[in-house]
Each structure stands twice: as C-alpha cells, then as structure tokens.
Amino acid sequence: MTKAVTLIELSKMIDHSLLHPTMTDDEIVEGCEISKKFNVATACIKPYCIPMVMELLSGSDVGVCSVIAFPHGNSTIAVKVMETKEALLAGAAEIDMVVNIGKVKGGAWDYVSEEIKNINTIVTEKGGILKVIFENDYLVEDQIIRLCEICSDHQVAFVKTSSGYGFVKQANGKYDYEGATDNHLKIMRDHTSSSVQIKAAGGIRTLDDVLRVRALGVTRIGATATENILGEARRRGIK
C-alpha cells in the first residue's frame, strides 16, 4: 500500500525556481512571496540577489538556494569555487552547481571529479548542501552513470537532472528539452549511493508529475509551477 503524502511533504519537496534570465527584482520579490505562502523547501535564485532574498525570506521556514555556473557550467574550477564561497558568505544554504558538461562528454573524469570534490568540500564545510546538475539532455546513459558514481564517491547531497535551460536542437531545427525523464531518474537512483538524494528539474509542472517522480525516489524538485502543483494538491484534499 502506498503511503499517503501530506501537503507539507509535497511543499518541502519544492525548490521554487526564480532563475529565468529576464526576471526582474520585482518578479523575484513576487516569487519569494509565493515561496513563503506555500512554505516550500527553498527559493532557488540567481547569485546576485541572495542578500535581497535573505531579507525577504527572513523569519520564514524557506531556505535560500543559489545556482553556480548556471546554466552552462563552463566556468573554471577556481571561478566556481569563488562563486560558491561568495554565495555561502551571502547566506545561501544550498548550492546547485552545473558540472562542466564538455568535460563530461569528453570523458575528462579526473577533471570532473576534482571539480565536484572542490565545490562539495567548500559547501559541506559551511554546513551547506550541494546539488550537482548533470544536464541529462546532453548526455548518454554511460556518462550519467559515471557522474552518479563520482557524486557518490564524494558523498554529495543531491544529484540533479537538469537546469531547465539545456535546450537541444531538434530535427525540425527548433530547440527544446526533455528535462527530468523517468528513465534518467531510474538510472540516477540505481547508480547513486543510498545517501545521495535525487532532484528532478525540467518539465515538472503538475501534481501528477510530482507524485510520479516521487514514486521513483525523487525527494526534491525544481519548479516554476509551484502554485499550480500545490493548489491542485489542496483541491484533491491533500492536507
């Protein structure tokens, strides 16, 4: 029998995403109000606005999550380290860092491992949580598995499917992405240690989406559709 889920369990699965490059400060303020209203896990934000968001969320049970090298992951390790240190110093408790995707695709596993190790060490020393963004749309299964193994070796808190901005050119010439697919989530759960949690991001827009990925072992999601997801939960009588 499947255990019934509560509203607070659902809300605390959500990192409310405020990452679109065109978002204004006013829109971020509005997003923080939504984050507080629904008591989500974190507001996931761009690094420059950490001080503002810290003030906006003060007194609430909503954490602050900052992205690093977002969304393409191409910064040097030194720059990622510096950006991480600044985000932690500004007050972020959770860090979502994009791996160097080109290095992953090129099989430069020593480099990738060193990058993840360096960032994770800095984050954990400050008592924070690191989520490593793979950008699965760009990767093949073997690359996803190897990343899972590296993240398990370094005992990161979370592995994450996508940034939500990993657009791939399709056969029709347009750009699109799949985001968090069931197949990739199963691979990530099967190939990470039990201590590593899974964050699904990209395409999680409905309550049914959340319940589906939760059943696959996902404990956190990145979402812009927080109001729709939790509003639907309330309408269905989830308390």
Side-chain angles (χ1 to χ4, degrees), residues 5 11 26 28-29 33 46 52 61 77 79 87 97 104 107 136 152 157 159 166 181 188 208 211 227:
V5 64
S11 67
D26 286 344
I28 289 173
V29 170
E33 290 304 312
K46 297 174 278 190
M52 178 180 75
D61 191 36
I77 294 175
V79 168
M97 184 271 292
V104 171
N136 287 339
S152 296
V159 291
T181 68
M188 293 170 82
D208 286 336
L211 295 175
E227 288 181 289

Side-chain angles (χ1 to χ4, degrees), residues 1 26 35 46 59 101 105 121 127 131 139 147 149 161 172 180 182-184 188 211 220:
M1 181 179 293
D26 286 344
S35 298
K46 297 174 278 190
I101 302 160
K105 290 187 70 63
T121 297
K131 308 187 201 91
L139 307 180
L147 277 173
E149 293 169 346
T161 59
N172 61 6
D182 289 3
N183 180 52
H184 285 159
M188 293 170 82
L211 295 175
R220 195 76 70 88

Side-chain angles (χ1 to χ4, degrees), residues 20 24 32 35 40 68 70 84 88-89 91 96 114 144 151 161 169-170 182 187 200 217 220-221 223 228 237-238:
H20 197 281
T24 65
C32 287
S35 298
V40 297
I68 300 297
F70 192 87
T84 301
L88 293 166
L89 184 64
D96 285 21
E114 187 68 16
I144 295 170
C151 288
T161 59
K169 191 172 185 179
Q170 306 298 316
D182 289 3
I187 291 169
R220 195 76 70 88
I221 65 165
N228 291 337
I238 296 175

Side-chain angles (χ1 to χ4, degrees), residues 72-100:
H72 296 130
N74 291 324
S75 303
T76 64
I77 294 175
V79 168
K80 287 183 178 179
V81 165
M82 179 181 67
E83 190 175 12
T84 301
K85 287 180 177 178
E86 287 195 359
L88 293 166
L89 184 64
E94 301 193 10
I95 299 293
D96 285 21
M97 184 271 292
V98 186
V99 296
N100 188 311

Side-chain angles (χ1 to χ4, degrees), residues 15-21 23-25 27-29 31-33 35 42-57 62-70 83 87 90-97 131 133 160 199 223:
D15 289 340
H16 185 54
S17 179
L18 303 172
L19 297 171
H20 197 281
M23 287 194 85
T24 65
D25 286 356
E27 289 170 322
I28 289 173
V29 170
C32 287
E33 290 304 312
S35 298
T42 75
C44 192
I45 58 171
K46 297 174 278 190
Y48 84 88
C49 62
I50 294 172
M52 178 180 75
V53 171
M54 287 291 296
E55 184 174 347
L56 290 167
L57 296 179
V62 179
V64 176
C65 175
S66 177
V67 292
I68 300 297
F70 192 87
E83 190 175 12
E94 301 193 10
I95 299 293
D96 285 21
M97 184 271 292
K131 308 187 201 91
I133 303 173
K160 179 179 173 182
K199 178 176 175 180

Side-chain angles (χ1 to χ4, degrees), residues 143-154:
Q143 293 163 347
I144 295 170
I145 290 171
R146 187 70 187 102
L147 277 173
C148 287
E149 293 169 346
I150 290 170
C151 288
S152 296
D153 288 343
H154 295 306

